[in-house]
Amino acid sequence: MSLSNHERGSEVKSSGRFNFSGLALFAALLLLWEFSSRFTPAIQPYFPPASRVIHSLFQPSLARELFGHLLDTLGRFLGGYFLAAAMAVSLGIILGYFRFAYSLLEVVIELLRPMPSVAIIPVAILLLGIGNSMMVAVTVYACAWPILINTIDGVRNIDRTLIDTGRTFGLGRWKILRRIALPAAAPYIVTGLRISLSIALILVTTSEMVVGGSGLGFFILDEERSLHTSNMYAGIVVVALLGYALNRLFIAVETKAMAWHRGLTARGML
Amino acid sequence: MTWSRESKLNGFLVLLSVMAAWELVSRTEMLNPLFFPPMSKILRSFFSLVFSGEILAQILSSMRRAAAGYLLAALVCIPLGIIMGLFNSVYRALEVVIETARPLPPPVVVPVAMLFFGLGDGMKVFVIFFSCLWPILLNTMDGVRNIDRVLIHTARTFGLSQGRAILKVILPAASPQIMTGLRISLAITLILVVISEMVGSSDGIGYFILDSQRRLKVDQMYAGMLSLALLGYLLNQLFLLFSNTFLSWHRGMLRSDK
Amino acid sequence: MSILDVEGLSKSYRQAGGESTLAIENISFQVNEGEFVSLVGPSGCGKTTLLMCMAGLIAPSAGRVVVKAAEVDGPPRNLVLVFQEYNKSLFAWRTVLGNVLFGLEVKGKPAREAEEKASYLIGLVGLDGFERHYPWELSGGMQQRVAIARALAYEPEVLLMDEPFGSVDAMTRLELEDGLLRLWKELGTTILFVTHDIEEAIYLSDRIYVLGRRPSRVIQAVEVRLGRPRNQLTTRADASFMELRNEIYKQTAPRLSSGW
């Protein structure tokens, strides 16, 4: 039984070494795509040659169009994500800290939570129409859940001594919340934020598909319907790059902001 | 996340008052009753849809797709994840392809699936399959990788062949984390079945909700959402029941660690 | 008659920089059928590496291990290794009974017969009544007893034990030592016991092989001529026990008198 990877730890990310076999397989699949498409015109409506997709990506007119859609999508994403983060973190801290507040909302939360958040889209269309505000609203709604639940969990798991330490320093309740509860719950909050990152992208692209108009989700669906397949794939490449970039950015920020926590975990103090 | 009975009572009181306020606001037309039909009307619509069997039919067609995509993903990803966890070379070979496809938000796979499968069940099954791949695959792999070396050596010292070691030791030892992947994917499945039905379908609960909105049968839309929430709750409970039965040893172990 | 022969065994590991370090070098010794033999040596001297080679879990770089006239080139059927880390080696998803049944299932014993055998062994290690408990519900000493019962149920001719009592408290350790001696007498299994505790080795064994520092080799073979059954109080107070202890100490820890 091969155990060579045993000491590598559980983090699923690239080891940084040059991955020859991985790149080789990737290249082989691209080539397979390219040539099977070139030599079987019958499948070209489904699989235009990879080179054609790349080519269309670099056509100025399409690139400009894609860039516009990308900006629309990104704007909705950022608006929804940050609004959700601000609201859910503050509400989560309050609900986690004040047991009574949570008891009031518990049933409502438990009722709404299991509903797949995309189902809110029709309601949002009804109330807000089909503009940006609707897409941002559904993104806020969906992203808020993981952040809220994780923040509540995080605040509840704060060690009592930490809060008492704040008390002995004469901090008031609000100061304790801001100065102690917020940073102490941060590892949980970050987990929520990470989950919400992909959820935000799901909600933005879905609502763009459902209501149309603009954005990468709309573009991809629209190109599919008009059978411009290579444009559709070009759009997908752009979305994937966006998802990848957002993910990397998140990891970079997290690494910087949470350095203290990693140190703590590494020393086995948690 | 439950506290006490008393807190549940509080919660239900709040829920009831919200519903009462909704009713009042709608009846007095403080908010447009077109958008906020009275709660009583929504509930009546919900029950009539339930008893006429219409909601059930929609949910059944959604569930059929969901189950197919979800089970297919589990069937492919658990064995593959085990192989990737055991053989680092396999993981390295697939790494680039996986990391390229993973950041793709699952909804944009819907148009691709429509291209290949049209608007039928195949399209939805594929979309669900695709979006469930990653959590199951990566959690299974991680679970296998985290198995302690001593455990593997134990299996070997008893003369187990590789195949039997996988069945008797690796699979059970990794099962808590496999279950985590399955739980995450369950939530994703539900989201994606709704999305794919909203974008391209003529039945299913996702279609029903969006269609009710488009035809301005707002009470039906809310009733559909209510049944979707109940469905989500039910599936979650079912999953918990299933995983608690299979992983009772693991829960006990976690408790004894505290 | 010898049942276990280690002949000129060496094992080197390749390090990150590409150079290789020798963990054990040219080790040779024998264990006769039915004997209780211990290997003692300082921590980190490569005892575990040696055991892994003997259990067929890793391949040696040179030399060979012979169990019952058959050269080891994979885990041998008639030999089982008991690990120090009982909490990692037990199957957390199986009950005590399930764990002990494991080796019997692997061998394909009929269910009925297997269950009888398992119950018998659970009784031998003093855990009757705990059959339906999970390992994590038991204390450390009890867990290691489960691991021992599980190994013995497999009916090995040779039992290898890698510091099996290294992670339990001192009182439990004494109990486990006596328990193990009783089992050994009852079942007649050949036992090769690895420890860094010299007194433990003397107390348990017929013979002791003393290993030196890395890369370790056998520096001395010591016959233990203490009567059996042994007793934690009288045996350990015996003058020849002390003598043996001092002799081995001098071999393994020459710097003992000079402190740090």
Side-chain angles (χ1 to χ4, degrees):
Chain A
M1 203 140 300
S2 153
L3 280 163
S4 55
N5 50 12
H6 184 78
E7 279 88 350
R8 284 171 38 116
S10 66
E11 277 282 281
V12 183
K13 61 180 151 185
S14 80
S15 56
R17 275 182 301 135
F18 179 73
N19 183 351
F20 177 76
S21 60
L23 288 170
L25 182 69
F26 185 70
L29 286 177
L30 271 187
L31 285 176
L32 181 72
W33 176 1
E34 174 76 22
F35 286 106
S36 51
S37 171
R38 262 183 202 282
F39 294 120
T40 5
I43 66 166
Q44 278 187 10
Y46 305 104
F47 278 126
S51 57
R52 199 182 300 163
V53 175
I54 296 167
H55 179 71
S56 55
L57 256 180
F58 287 102
Q59 270 183 338
S61 60
L62 187 76
R64 217 172 302 122
E65 193 186 344
L66 267 171
F67 189 68
H69 288 303
L70 173 68
L71 285 186
D72 284 335
T73 299
L74 191 61
R76 290 159 190 157
F77 170 88
L78 292 175
Y81 185 69
F82 284 107
L83 217 56
M87 285 163 51
V89 169
S90 1
L91 186 61
I93 287 179
I94 293 170
L95 292 183
Y97 195 79
F98 299 105
R99 197 188 142 143
F100 181 71
Y102 180 74
S103 80
L104 293 181
L105 290 183
E106 182 186 357
V107 175
V108 178
I109 289 177
E110 292 301 318
L111 199 74
L112 287 178
R113 186 151 75 117
M115 188 186 73
S117 45
V118 284
I120 204 78
I121 289 177
V123 182
I125 296 176
L126 197 63
L127 300 180
L128 301 170
I130 54 170
N132 273 330
S133 54
M134 168 259 156
M135 301 191 208
V136 171
V138 297
T139 308
V140 169
Y141 173 83
C143 286
W145 285 107
I147 306 174
L148 181 71
I149 302 294
N150 275 287
T151 308
I152 293 176
D153 263 3
V155 174
R156 283 206 187 143
N157 281 324
I158 294 174
D159 200 326
R160 221 31 245 184
T161 25
L162 218 50
I163 306 277
D164 290 339
T165 309
R167 287 239 175 86
T168 61
F169 279 101
L171 294 183
R173 272 204 153 162
W174 291 108
K175 278 207 167 143
I176 288 181
L177 286 187
R178 211 164 54 84
R179 295 272 186 83
I180 296 180
L182 181 64
Y188 286 81
I189 297 174
V190 168
T191 304
L193 287 172
R194 192 183 311 118
I195 299 171
S196 287
L197 196 70
S198 38
I199 293 187
L201 215 49
I202 290 179
L203 264 290
V204 173
T205 47
T206 303
S207 50
E208 285 169 353
M209 284 186 193
V210 174
V211 303
S214 73
L216 290 170
F218 160 74
F219 174 83
I220 293 167
L221 186 63
D222 197 44
E223 296 299 305
E224 187 271 328
R225 286 193 174 141
S226 39
L227 289 178
H228 295 147
T229 326
S230 55
N231 288 359
M232 175 192 85
Y233 282 113
I236 286 176
V237 170
V238 175
V239 174
L241 287 177
L242 176 65
Y244 181 76
L246 288 171
N247 218 356
R248 289 261 84 149
L249 199 67
F250 185 90
I251 291 173
V253 173
E254 182 196 359
T255 314
K256 256 206 140 97
M258 300 299 288
W260 64 272
H261 184 247
R262 259 206 331 284
L264 210 60
T265 332
R267 279 157 171 268
M269 288 176 73
L270 283 180
Chain B
M1 291 223 320
T2 40
W3 293 81
S4 60
R5 190 156 303 177
E6 150 223 0
S7 90
K8 284 257 192 247
L9 189 68
N10 276 342
F12 277 111
L13 287 177
V14 171
L15 182 67
L16 284 179
S17 10
V18 168
M19 286 166 72
W22 180 313
E23 181 82 20
L24 196 75
V25 159
S26 171
R27 292 249 177 236
T28 56
E29 302 198 1
M30 277 159 73
L31 286 176
N32 189 345
L34 187 63
F35 297 162
F36 294 99
M39 200 37 106
S40 53
K41 200 175 161 202
I42 294 173
L43 288 177
R44 209 171 322 124
S45 164
F46 171 73
F47 284 114
S48 81
L49 283 168
V50 167
F51 288 122
S52 71
E54 179 166 3
I55 281 274
L56 214 64
Q58 305 287 11
I59 284 181
L60 269 180
S61 44
S62 295
M63 288 309 296
R64 221 180 38 232
R65 296 155 184 163
Y70 181 72
L71 294 179
L72 202 61
L75 229 57
V76 171
C77 292
I78 294 175
L80 186 59
I82 289 177
I83 293 171
M84 281 166 54
L86 288 176
F87 305 104
N88 197 33
S89 52
V90 177
Y91 165 67
R92 293 283 286 174
L94 293 175
E95 187 186 8
V96 178
V97 176
I98 290 175
E99 293 307 315
T100 308
R102 198 155 70 106
L104 209 61
V108 306
V109 177
V110 174
V112 183
M114 278 162 62
L115 187 67
F116 287 93
F117 299 100
L119 296 180
D121 282 354
M123 178 274 265
K124 286 124 202 158
V125 171
F126 178 79
V127 170
I128 292 164
F129 168 78
F130 178 85
S131 48
C132 287
L133 284 179
W134 318 122
I136 305 179
L137 189 67
L138 298 177
N139 273 290
T140 303
M141 180 178 82
D142 242 19
V144 171
R145 277 190 182 176
N146 287 339
I147 295 174
D148 200 282
R149 189 186 277 258
V150 169
L151 201 65
I152 309 260
H153 282 157
T154 303
R156 290 194 58 199
T157 189
F158 281 100
L160 252 70
S161 65
Q162 186 136 323
R164 291 184 83 191
I166 288 175
L167 278 184
K168 275 185 165 304
V169 178
I170 306 233
L171 196 59
S175 59
Q177 219 174 329
I178 296 176
M179 217 53 107
T180 304
L182 288 174
R183 207 189 51 232
I184 297 172
S185 285
L186 185 68
I188 295 180
T189 297
L190 221 49
I191 293 178
L192 265 293
V193 76
V194 172
I195 290 178
S196 59
E197 286 170 356
M198 282 183 175
V199 176
S201 185
S202 53
D203 65 344
I205 187 72
Y207 165 80
F208 177 82
I209 293 172
L210 188 62
D211 187 56
S212 305
Q213 181 264 318
R214 286 189 174 146
R215 294 191 287 138
L216 282 180
K217 297 197 163 174
V218 179
D219 52 331
Q220 274 196 14
M221 176 191 79
Y222 284 116
M225 288 170 65
L226 183 60
S227 47
L228 191 56
L230 289 177
L231 177 69
Y233 180 78
L234 218 67
L235 283 180
N236 221 354
Q237 292 300 310
L238 217 64
F239 188 89
L240 279 180
L241 197 72
F242 168 76
S243 86
N244 286 349
T245 319
F246 276 86
L247 295 181
S248 61
W249 62 271
H250 188 246
R251 274 168 38 114
M253 196 167 78
L254 291 181
R255 263 201 306 275
S256 74
D257 272 357
K258 277 184 182 164
Chain C
M1 202 196 104
S2 100
I3 188 167
L4 176 66
D5 279 285
V6 175
E7 298 168 5
L9 206 67
S10 299
K11 175 71 188 175
S12 56
Y13 286 105
R14 191 119 33 93
Q15 282 189 315
E19 47 191 309
S20 62
T21 51
L22 212 49
I24 52 176
E25 187 179 24
N26 196 19
I27 288 190
S28 299
F29 64 88
Q30 293 191 340
V31 178
N32 294 327
E33 201 159 348
E35 266 188 321
F36 197 124
V37 173
S38 288
L39 288 172
V40 290
S43 302
C45 77
K47 298 185 296 261
T48 299
T49 304
L50 176 58
L51 269 191
M52 293 287 211
C53 289
M54 291 165 71
L57 295 173
I58 54 178
S61 312
R64 58 182 202 146
V65 177
V66 179
V67 179
K68 272 241 159 158
E71 186 172 335
V72 169
D73 60 349
R77 280 273 146 166
N78 43 11
L79 178 151
V80 172
L81 173 58
V82 173
F83 297 87
Q84 177 182 355
E85 303 102 320
Y86 46 79
N87 56 338
K88 292 178 184 165
S89 139
L90 288 179
F91 303 124
W93 57 92
R94 285 174 170 242
T95 58
V96 169
L97 183 65
N99 266 283
V100 178
L101 279 172
F102 180 78
L104 298 161
E105 284 171 21
V106 173
K107 276 188 154 180
K109 275 254 159 74
R112 174 129 209 179
E113 196 183 320
E115 204 141 325
E116 263 168 34
K117 174 100 192 168
S119 305
Y120 166 68
L121 276 159
I122 291 171
L124 270 190
V125 298
L127 288 174
D128 338 59
F130 290 96
E131 288 86 349
R132 304 279 162 212
H133 285 62
Y134 282 96
W136 35 266
E137 296 175 295
L138 308 177
S139 69
M142 291 160 95
Q143 288 186 35
Q144 192 58 293
R145 270 141 68 190
V146 177
I148 293 170
R150 180 179 65 179
L152 290 170
Y154 190 64
E155 296 176 321
E157 291 175 82
V158 179
L159 186 64
L160 303 181
M161 305 184 87
D162 185 8
E163 303 207 25
F165 308 146
S167 313
V168 296
D169 62 87
M171 285 304 294
T172 311
R173 190 169 186 150
L174 300 185
E175 280 172 35
L176 288 172
E177 286 167 6
D178 287 334
L180 181 63
L181 285 180
R182 270 199 305 278
L183 278 176
W184 172 64
K185 190 165 170 258
E186 172 94 22
L187 302 171
T189 315
T190 309
I191 296 182
L192 180 70
F193 190 95
V194 169
T195 176
H196 63 261
D197 182 335
I198 294 168
E199 294 185 22
E200 182 174 69
I202 300 170
Y203 182 72
L204 294 170
S205 316
D206 296 323
R207 186 159 3 97
I208 299 171
Y209 291 108
V210 183
L211 300 177
R213 290 184 183 282
R214 234 166 205 247
S216 62
R217 42 183 111 201
V218 178
I219 51 178
Q220 196 188 13
V222 181
E223 297 291 328
V224 181
R225 297 205 174 75
L226 295 165
R228 292 187 190 269
R230 294 184 182 166
N231 177 291
Q232 292 287 2
L233 296 178
T234 55
T235 305
R236 284 180 191 262
D238 198 302
S240 50
F241 186 97
M242 304 288 196
E243 219 171 277
L244 277 174
R245 194 192 73 154
N246 293 346
E247 190 187 331
I248 299 174
Y249 259 127
K250 271 184 224 143
Q251 293 289 339
T252 57
R255 289 170 300 170
L256 201 62
S257 50
S258 62
W260 286 353

